[in-house]
Amino acid sequence: MIVTGKPLPLRRANVDTDQIIPARYLTGIDTEGLGEHLFTGMAGGAELLAESPGANIVVAGENFGCGSSREHAAWALTARGFRAVIASSFARIFLENAYTNAIVPVVVPDAMIEGFARARSITIDVAKQTVQADDEAPVAFELDELRKQFILGGGFLPYLASKIDTVRAWQHAR
Amino acid sequence: MRSLFDKIWDAHVVEELPGGNALVFMDRVVAHEITTPQGAIAIEKEYGDCLYDRDRIVAVNDHVSPAKDTATAIQAQVLRTWAKRQGIRLYDIGEGGICHVIVPERGYVTPGSTVCCGDSHTCTLGAFGAFALGIGTTAQAGAMLAGCLILQRPKVMRVEVKGELHPSASAKDLALAVIAEIGFRGGTGYVLEYTGSAIDSLDMEQRMTLCNMAIEAGATTGIIAADGVTAAYLEKTQEAPSDWLFLRADRDARYAASVTIDGNAVRPLVTWGTNPGENAPIDGVVPVGAAAASLDYMDLRVGDKMSEIVLDQAFIGSCTNSRIGDLREAARVLRGKNVVIPTIITPGSQAVKRAAEREGLHEIFQDAGALWTHSSCGPCLGMSMGVLAPGMRCISSSNRNFQGRMGDGGRVHLASPAIVAASALLGRIASPADIGAPIREEALV
Ligand code: SF4
């Protein structure tokens, strides 16, 4: 699977989920309409989105997705066509939510963030785990070996469903 | 050799999975109206009536409760009808409250157990010596379907708090001090295992306040070993099972990291920035090196005196500080005085509300001119019951001062209930000492 596209150059650290999508928009029972409110909780967020038409890869600093557990953050990103986030680190719950929603979480050193933020085009090879800014040399990144399968099409809930008998047997023997 | 967390983890691993993941059994799943519907409906559609074990699930309408408009009414109604269809115990308006307050109150968390909820502050329940963590909607649905989460084993950081907590400081101040010490993201990848004499002497409510904010350092959760204090709390909780174990870390337990905090050195803290780690002593100033973006959003400058920051609103409540002890603290400060800014006091559960009213605390609050509400998450998340206008500045006993958290453009200063109460009386950030209130309850008698 190859993800190609343009960066949304957020650059900043600690982009919390209230900035990605404020709580006041979490009033649905489905994932409809969340995209409209993406980054409206971030100072200058909506403007940055407007200035970056066609962007589909977020580029941010450390601790992306910290704060609330709301999966709405991942849903709002996918609703606007975002397929990957390049950051120097992720908060745990967002990272888990990214995998279950097939958003590729790409961790690169902080020093490389600016390069991706300025790139005209970014190419991510999910299977090979490489990320490339324009014609620069591809950079390797880590992915969780199991959860990578959820991005490549395995599906998180079907995987868990396949474990139910194992869990029942374990619980029985507990 | 094992930490407390290691023991609980090891006892709940069903299967090791590729990539360092494990299938971890969940003894309890808590479901609230904001993050549950999408997942619950998805698994119902796809897998039918096949919850792993409905008796392990407890549902709560708490975030916007009662509903504020049609959309939130639909959320609550979806949770209600789903719980009914699936035979799940639901705590609705009237008997409920904030999920992290009622889960322990009703005995749904016991030492040595595992709990998850689609809510990051589930870490509150680590106060009971349980592994309790927040997860996303899909992971929560998976836990309801298969009884398990897929998790990377977190590392364990020992946070030892020595001595005793200084008389002027509360569990909230300690929570803020821990975040300042390890950093706003310093706990990422870790479980914080709190130990030490200052922790031993905290009551259960204070332990919950401390564990509640583990997520604010990025940690997977916080945990405190159960002891006599825990047992005494659980005994009073009718529904709590009594067959739990006193698990403790081994004497020679190994930790991936350790920090030590001197409890006697902890002083009242208030946040000045836009994450909970950006805090300063109440008698201090906005520090040199403060992040420009935070200062800009908060409209503050380096060197500004914390005690000169003028406020527009005060809020006492949230899963951090809305229990009876917190309300007593607030009442002690507010008794016989008048607030000068709009002040909202929201108990964490209807049971807390009733306990407070039996003690007459509601009279003290209302005599002081504060609004005494029913239980709910309320203003904490900026959805209802006291949303801030852009530029409004609120002092709050909650846990998040993120940009826009309590309303678009609203500014939040986090502090303990006593500081919030004192600030409500003076209209600026103030300590109970500023209004001549004794610093501790004991001092009253
Ligand atoms: S009180 Fe606030 S932090 Fe706690 S669960 Fe409710 S919204 Fe979340």
Side-chain angles (χ1 to χ4, degrees):
Chain A
M1 178 190 279
I2 309 286
V3 175
T4 34
K6 289 207 259 175
L8 176 74
L10 295 182
R11 291 186 169 95
R12 62 199 89 179
N14 302 327
V15 174
D16 60 69
T17 53
D18 277 86
Q19 291 181 55
I20 301 172
I21 181 152
R24 57 190 169 280
Y25 302 121
L26 313 185
T27 56
I29 53 161
D30 49 31
T31 58
E32 294 292 304
L34 292 170
E36 269 170 58
H37 308 296
L38 181 67
F39 293 126
T40 52
M42 175 188 286
E47 293 79 352
L48 205 57
L49 261 181
E51 288 161 13
S52 317
N56 61 350
I57 298 171
V58 174
V59 180
E62 281 188 88
N63 204 24
F64 187 85
C66 57
S68 148
S69 66
R70 64 189 70 159
E71 198 162 321
H72 307 68
W75 298 330
L77 284 165
T78 24
R80 288 291 282 265
F82 285 92
R83 300 192 54 205
V85 179
I86 300 175
S88 44
S89 67
F90 288 91
R92 175 189 62 89
I93 308 176
F94 180 85
L95 184 63
E96 293 171 0
N97 290 342
Y99 278 112
T100 46
N101 287 282
I103 295 171
V104 191
V106 180
V107 178
V108 300
D110 221 18
M112 286 188 186
I113 292 299
E114 190 51 35
F116 287 107
R118 285 168 188 257
R120 273 167 288 114
S121 164
I122 296 172
T123 305
I124 301 168
D125 186 326
V126 181
K128 286 194 185 146
Q129 297 179 199
T130 58
V131 57
Q132 188 177 9
D134 299 320
D135 303 327
E136 303 285 315
V139 175
F141 65 92
E142 300 279 325
L143 281 178
D144 180 312
E145 180 190 337
L146 172 66
R147 292 173 208 256
K148 180 178 173 179
Q149 303 311 318
F150 306 148
I151 296 177
L152 292 172
F156 174 84
L157 286 173
Y159 181 82
L160 265 180
S162 76
K163 294 289 181 186
I164 295 173
D165 292 341
T166 312
V167 182
R168 291 218 189 270
W170 175 89
Q171 200 196 347
H172 191 71
R174 196 182 183 191
Chain B
M1 291 272 291
R2 291 187 302 163
S3 66
L4 165 62
F5 171 75
D6 291 334
K7 293 182 184 185
I8 300 174
W9 175 273
D10 293 345
H12 287 83
V13 171
V14 172
E15 193 181 30
E16 300 289 349
L17 301 176
N21 291 286
L23 199 58
V24 182
F25 190 73
M26 287 292 122
D27 295 307
R28 185 75 60 196
V29 182
V30 182
H32 69 58
E33 84 274 30
I34 304 280
T35 55
T36 303
Q38 290 89 346
I41 292 168
I43 54 171
E44 227 177 24
K45 253 196 205 147
E46 192 64 32
Y47 304 95
D49 286 342
C50 68
L51 297 176
Y52 184 84
D53 180 356
R54 72 198 58 213
D55 293 339
R56 292 178 183 274
I57 306 173
V58 52
V60 189
N61 271 326
D62 61 354
H63 274 61
V64 184
S65 188
K68 69 181 171 86
D69 56 12
T70 307
T72 53
I74 293 171
Q75 286 184 314
Q77 187 63 1
V78 164
L79 193 77
R80 233 172 247 140
T81 51
W82 167 76
K84 192 158 189 199
R85 240 181 359 257
Q86 297 289 347
I88 292 163
R89 177 71 166 95
L90 169 80
Y91 288 88
D92 213 330
I93 57 168
E95 64 164 348
I98 304 169
C99 57
H100 314 308
V101 176
I102 68 166
V103 163
E105 207 173 74
R106 303 285 178 146
Y108 288 112
V109 55
T110 45
S113 69
T114 53
V115 196
C116 67
C117 171
D119 194 288
S120 62
H121 292 102
T122 310
C123 54
T124 312
L125 308 173
F128 289 81
F131 173 35
L133 77 165
I135 47 170
T137 295
T138 309
Q140 180 189 277
M144 296 197 289
L145 178 70
C148 284
L149 295 177
I150 296 172
L151 294 172
Q152 288 277 346
R153 185 180 189 131
K155 294 176 281 184
V156 188
M157 182 187 298
R158 180 171 61 177
V159 179
E160 187 181 6
V161 188
K162 288 193 167 155
E164 267 198 71
L165 204 52
H166 188 270
S168 69
S170 68
K172 178 63 158 285
D173 301 309
L174 178 56
L176 291 170
V178 169
I179 303 164
E181 173 73 27
I182 68 177
F184 174 55
R185 49 182 178 265
T188 309
Y190 289 93
V191 164
L192 308 183
E193 197 165 305
Y194 301 103
T195 65
S197 52
I199 302 295
D200 296 341
S201 55
L202 297 178
D203 66 25
M204 286 314 298
E205 296 190 358
Q206 294 167 325
R207 292 179 190 185
M208 284 189 258
T209 299
L210 178 61
C211 289
N212 174 272
M213 294 194 69
I215 181 72
E216 307 310 331
T220 299
T221 190
I223 190 167
I224 298 173
D227 59 8
V229 177
T230 323
Y233 181 101
L234 291 171
E235 266 162 34
K236 279 191 269 170
T237 313
Q238 279 176 356
E239 296 93 331
S242 52
D243 58 345
W244 49 271
L245 295 167
F246 280 101
L247 290 176
R248 293 202 79 89
D250 291 331
R251 277 185 166 278
D252 56 354
R254 291 222 197 118
Y255 293 91
S258 280
V259 293
T260 305
I261 290 173
D262 176 5
N264 304 88
V266 178
R267 291 293 185 278
L269 296 168
V270 182
T271 64
W272 48 262
T274 56
N275 75 56
E278 294 181 330
N279 61 59
I282 191 166
D283 54 4
V285 296
V286 175
V288 174
S294 304
L295 293 181
D296 192 38
Y297 184 84
M298 295 299 289
D299 191 26
L300 294 171
R301 274 149 299 275
V302 167
D304 282 354
K305 278 191 170 164
M306 295 300 290
S307 61
E308 287 176 0
I309 296 174
V310 174
L311 302 162
D312 303 303
Q313 183 168 308
F315 169 57
I316 295 170
S318 90
C319 54
T320 316
N321 285 117
S322 63
R323 299 174 189 84
I324 190 71
D326 301 316
L327 299 179
R328 286 184 191 135
E329 278 291 288
R332 184 173 58 75
V333 176
L334 294 173
R335 187 192 306 267
K337 303 206 165 57
N338 287 304
V339 301
V340 298
I341 50 175
T343 301
I344 301 167
I345 306 180
T346 300
S349 70
Q350 288 301 107
V352 169
K353 179 176 167 95
R354 298 181 72 184
E357 293 185 351
R358 277 194 295 274
E359 294 178 18
L361 304 187
H362 64 312
E363 300 289 1
I364 297 172
F365 299 148
Q366 293 175 109
D367 287 347
L371 177 67
W372 170 240
T373 77
H374 63 276
S375 70
S376 173
C377 290
C380 170
L381 76 165
M383 279 180 88
S384 66
M385 291 171 65
V387 180
L388 302 181
M392 258 177 101
R393 196 182 287 281
C394 178
I395 187 151
S396 172
S397 75
S398 58
N399 46 49
R400 284 199 176 126
N401 51 342
F402 296 166
Q403 293 180 17
R405 169 73 181 184
M406 294 180 69
D408 196 12
R411 302 179 178 124
V412 181
H413 295 273
L414 303 176
S416 69
I419 290 176
V420 175
S423 305
L425 295 174
L426 294 179
R428 60 166 176 86
I429 293 178
S431 115
D434 296 344
I435 48 122
I439 53 173
R440 271 281 166 96
E441 188 113 13
E442 301 88 82
L444 265 184
V445 278

